[in-house]
C-alpha cells in the first residue's frame, strides 16, 4: 500500500518472514500513527530491494509487529523514486534509467477483510448478552462493517449480529448473546468474525455506541441504533449476488457471500488484471531470426475500431509501444454482443517456436478422474490469455503490426 502521508516505509514481521533479507538489527522504538493517538511498536530496520518491472529500488524499511496491511510504501520511497500518482488512470510512475515506468494499482478495498478476536477469556452467563472487548489489526476507523462467524461449530452457537463498529487503538466492542442454560466460555484469541468496509447492499444493521456505554464491561450498558445506508451497489457486488441467487438455504448463502466478499477482487471483471505469479510464459525460438509480417488491409471503419481497441489496451497497460524486429498481423473478430475480439495471427511465430511436449489426458482418463464425485468446480478467466505474464526477454516476439505501425 502506498501512503504518501507516512514519513517512513513499514513492513510487518509476518510479511518479512516470507522474504529473503539481511539480518534485522533489533531496536525498541515507537512510531505515531496519523490519528495522533495510536502507536506502532518498531522492532527493527531492514534494507529491502524492491522490483517494479525491470527497475530495482533499494529501501530502508521499519519492521513492526502488526498493522492493518503487510507493507506500506511511505513518502521516503516516493521522494527517492520521484513517484507520481495518476488518480485518473489508477497508476503510479517512478523514475528509472529507462525513463519513467508505469505501475497500475487497485484503489478498490472491497476485498479487504480483517479478523476480529477476543482479547481476554470471556465467561458469558446463561441466556444473557455480554459486551466483549475485541482486537483487530486496524489502528482506528469511524465505521466498519462486522460480519460474525460461527465460533463454536455446534448446533447452538453463541449469537452475534452483523453490526457497524467503531475501532480505536486496535480495539472495538461488540455484543455476544449466550442462548445456553449454562455459562459459556470464549477462550482468548477466539475468532468472532471479520470487519470490512461498509457494504453497499446493507440497508440497516446494529451500531454499538461505546461513547454512551459504561466504562465497566460487566455493567452491560450498551446502546444500539439503526442506520440506513443509501449507497449505490458496485458492479462486483451485483455479480456476487447473481452468483449465489440460486442458493435457498439462508445460512449457506450468507457463508458463501462472506467467502466471495473476502476475495472480491477475483470477481471484479470491470478492470484488466494480470496473474500474480512468479511463473512467466517463455517463447523459445532457438536461433531463429526475427520474423516480421505486413499488416492485413482494413476498411476505414475497421481501422477506427482497431485504433479504439489499441487505445484502451494501452491505457490499461496491456500493451506498450514497440520497435521490435518481430511482428505479427492483427485479426478483428466481431462478437455476438457487437464488440470486437482482438486477435494476433501468430502462425509464423509458432512455426519457429519449440513446442512443449506435455501428455494430454484422453477422454477416458478424464471421465475416470471425474467419477465418484458430487461437486465440480469450473474456473473461467476474463480475457484469460491477456492475464498470463510473459518473460521480459520474450515480450518483443509478441509485437503486432497494424496499418498505423508497430
Amino acid at each position: 500500500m502506498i501512503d504518501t502521508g507516512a514519513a517512513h516505509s513499514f513492513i510487518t514481521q509476518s510479511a518479512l518472514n516470507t522474504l529473503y533479507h539481511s539480518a534485522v538489527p533489533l531496536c525498541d522504538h515507537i512510531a505515531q500513527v496519523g490519528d495522533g493517538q495510536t502507536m506502532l511498536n518498531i522492532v527493527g530496520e531492514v534494507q529491502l530491494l524492491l522490483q517494479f518491472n525491470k527497475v530495482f529500488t533499494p529501501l530502508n524499511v521499519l519492521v513492526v509487529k502488526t498493522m492493518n496491511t503487510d507493507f506500506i510504501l511511505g513518502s521516503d520511497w516516493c521522494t527517492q523514486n520521484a513517484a507520481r500518482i495518476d488518480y485518473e488512470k489508477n497508476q503510479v510512475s517512478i523514475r528509472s534509467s529507462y525513463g519513467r515506468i508505469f505501475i497500475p494499482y487497485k484503489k478498490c478495498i472491497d476485498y479487504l477483510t480483517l479478523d476480529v478476536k477476543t482479547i481476554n477469556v470471556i465467561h458469558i452467563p446463561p441466556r444473557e448478552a455480554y459486551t466483549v472487548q475485541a482486537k483487530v489489526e486496524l489502528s482506528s476507523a469511524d465505521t466498519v462493517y462486522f460480519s460474525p462467524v460461527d465460533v463454536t461449530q455446534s448446533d447452538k452457537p453463541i449469537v452475534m449480529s452483523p453490526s457497524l463498529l467503531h475501532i480505536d487503538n486496535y480495539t472495538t466492542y461488540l455484543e455476544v448473546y449466550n442462548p445456553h442454560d449454562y455459562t459459556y466460555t470464549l477462550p482468548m484469541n477466539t475468532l468472532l468474525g471479520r470487519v470490512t468496509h461498509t457494504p453497499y447492499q446493507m440497508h440497516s444493521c446494529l451500531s454499538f455506541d461505546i461513547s454512551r456505554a459504561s466504562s465497566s464491561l460487566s455493567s452491560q450498558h450498551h446502546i444500539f441504533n439503526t442506520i440506513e445506508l443509501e449507497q449505490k451497489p458496485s458492479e462486483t457486488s451485483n455479480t456476487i449476488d447473481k452468483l449465489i441467487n440460486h442458493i435457498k438455504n439462508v445460512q449457506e448463502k450468507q457463508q458463501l457471500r462472506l467467502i466471495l466478499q473476502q476475495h472480491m477482487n477475483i470477481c471484479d471483471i470491470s478492470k484488466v488484471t494480470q496473474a500474480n505469479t512468479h511463473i512467466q510464459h517463455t517463447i523459445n525460438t532457438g536461433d531463429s531470426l526475427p520474423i516480421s509480417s505486413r499488416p492485413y488491409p482494413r476498411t476505414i471503419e475497421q481501422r477506427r475500431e482497431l485504433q479504439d481497441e489499441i487505445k484502451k489496451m494501452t491505457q490499461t497497460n496491456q500493451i506498450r509501444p514497440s520497435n521490435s524486429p518481430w511482428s505479427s498481423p492483427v485479426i478483428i473478430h466481431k462478437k455476438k454482443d457487437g464488440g470486437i475480439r482482438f486477435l494476433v495471427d501468430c502462425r509464423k511465430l509458432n512455426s519457429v517456436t519449440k513446442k512443449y511436449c506435455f501428455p494430454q489426458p484422453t477422454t477416458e482418463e478424464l471421465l475416470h478422474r471425474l467419477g465418484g464425485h458430487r461437486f465440480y468446480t469450473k474456473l473461467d478467466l476474463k480475457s484469460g490469455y491477456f492475464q498470463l505474464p510473459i518473460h521480459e526477454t520474450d515480450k518483443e516476439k509478441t509485437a503486432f503490426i497494424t496499418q498505423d505501425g508497430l
Side-chain angles (χ1 to χ4, degrees):
M1 182 175 73
I2 296 179
D3 185 356
T4 56
H8 299 281
S9 297
F10 300 90
I11 189 171
T12 61
Q13 284 182 309
S14 58
L16 184 63
N17 290 336
T18 65
L19 307 175
Y20 293 104
H21 59 85
S22 58
V24 181
L26 298 179
C27 67
D28 187 14
H29 299 301
I30 299 293
Q32 189 176 56
V33 181
D35 60 8
Q37 298 179 353
T38 308
M39 300 297 177
L40 289 177
N41 294 319
I42 300 173
V43 297
E45 184 175 3
V46 65
Q47 186 177 66
L48 299 177
L49 191 62
L50 311 180
Q51 181 181 3
F52 300 92
N53 293 340
K54 298 180 292 184
V55 177
F56 291 88
T57 62
L59 181 65
N60 290 329
V61 182
L62 298 179
V63 184
V64 298
K65 290 183 178 180
T66 182
M67 57 183 178
N68 62 321
T69 188
D70 291 329
F71 198 178
I72 291 179
L73 290 175
S75 60
D76 53 343
W77 177 85
C78 296
T79 302
Q80 177 181 322
N81 297 281
R84 300 174 186 169
I85 303 178
D86 189 331
Y87 296 100
E88 182 178 349
K89 296 182 179 180
N90 293 339
Q91 63 183 14
V92 178
S93 65
I94 60 175
R95 181 179 54 202
S96 73
S97 58
Y98 305 97
R100 298 197 71 83
I101 66 168
F102 296 87
I103 310 163
Y105 70 83
K106 297 178 181 179
K107 64 180 181 179
C108 179
I109 62 169
D110 290 356
Y111 55 86
L112 178 62
T113 59
L114 299 172
D115 292 344
V116 179
K117 298 181 179 180
T118 56
I119 295 178
N120 304 307
V121 177
I122 304 296
H123 302 285
I124 308 175
R127 299 195 177 278
E128 287 191 14
Y130 196 93
T131 302
V132 174
Q133 185 181 26
K135 60 183 179 180
V136 58
E137 291 187 2
L138 184 63
S139 60
S140 61
D142 287 334
T143 306
V144 291
Y145 175 70
F146 171 76
S147 180
V149 297
D150 184 354
V151 298
T152 62
Q153 301 297 320
S154 64
D155 294 336
K156 292 184 178 181
I158 58 175
V159 177
M160 294 177 289
S161 299
S163 53
L164 296 179
L165 302 180
H166 173 79
I167 298 176
D168 182 32
N169 197 17
Y170 300 96
T171 303
T172 188
Y173 297 86
L174 62 152
E175 185 177 78
V176 176
Y177 177 72
N178 176 17
H180 304 288
D181 294 325
Y182 52 85
T183 299
Y184 192 87
T185 300
L186 288 176
M188 184 186 301
N189 290 323
T190 298
L191 178 64
L192 300 175
R194 295 177 176 88
V195 293
T196 183
H197 75 296
T198 306
Y200 299 110
Q201 285 82 10
M202 184 175 60
H203 299 292
S204 65
C205 69
L206 298 175
S207 174
F208 184 71
D209 186 358
I210 191 61
S211 64
R212 296 172 62 185
S214 170
S215 59
S216 172
L217 295 180
S218 61
S219 61
Q220 297 303 302
H221 294 296
H222 36 266
I223 305 298
F224 286 89
N225 301 312
T226 299
I227 296 180
E228 297 290 335
L229 301 175
E230 298 294 339
Q231 293 181 316
K232 184 179 179 181
S234 67
E235 183 179 342
T236 308
S237 298
N238 290 333
T239 301
I240 290 178
D241 280 345
K242 292 178 182 178
L243 290 174
I244 62 177
N245 188 50
H246 66 284
I247 301 176
K248 304 302 181 183
N249 186 294
V250 177
Q251 183 177 359
E252 292 180 354
K253 191 172 186 178
Q254 177 62 24
Q255 289 175 345
L256 183 56
R257 177 184 281 111
L258 179 60
I259 293 174
L260 293 177
Q261 286 177 343
Q262 292 175 21
H263 305 280
M264 188 174 282
N265 59 321
I266 297 177
C267 303
D268 185 4
I269 59 175
S270 63
K271 299 177 182 177
V272 175
T273 58
Q274 189 178 86
N276 182 19
T277 174
H278 66 280
I279 301 175
Q280 297 180 327
H281 179 63
T282 58
I283 306 174
N284 186 1
T285 54
D287 298 327
S288 174
L289 295 175
I291 295 178
S292 61
S293 304
R294 293 177 59 86
Y296 292 144
R298 304 279 176 222
T299 64
I300 295 178
E301 181 181 355
Q302 290 174 336
R303 187 172 178 179
R304 188 179 298 113
E305 289 179 341
L306 186 57
Q307 290 171 342
D308 292 340
E309 192 68 19
I310 290 176
K311 182 179 179 180
K312 293 177 184 176
M313 296 173 69
T314 303
Q315 290 175 343
T316 55
N317 294 309
Q318 288 179 277
I319 60 175
R320 66 190 185 195
S322 174
N323 55 4
S324 169
W326 299 77
S327 65
S328 300
V330 174
I331 299 175
I332 293 296
H333 181 264
K334 280 282 187 180
K335 296 181 181 179
K336 293 182 180 179
D337 60 3
I340 63 172
R341 191 183 304 277
F342 187 93
L343 304 171
V344 179
D345 187 354
C346 294
R347 285 178 290 182
K348 290 184 178 181
L349 173 62
N350 291 339
S351 67
V352 297
T353 301
K354 294 184 178 181
K355 306 297 187 295
Y356 292 101
C357 295
F358 187 84
Q360 294 291 328
T362 63
T363 304
E364 183 177 300
E365 183 181 353
L366 290 174
L367 292 175
H368 180 71
R369 291 181 186 178
L370 296 175
H373 299 283
R374 294 178 55 201
F375 299 98
Y376 302 92
T377 302
K378 179 183 71 173
L379 296 178
D380 186 13
L381 301 180
K382 179 178 172 59
S383 302
Y385 282 102
F386 286 148
Q387 295 194 36
L388 300 176
I390 299 176
H391 196 278
E392 187 64 34
T393 57
D394 291 323
K395 286 184 178 180
E396 65 172 14
K397 300 173 185 177
T398 65
F400 59 86
I401 190 168
T402 70
Q403 292 169 301
D404 297 306
L406 195 62

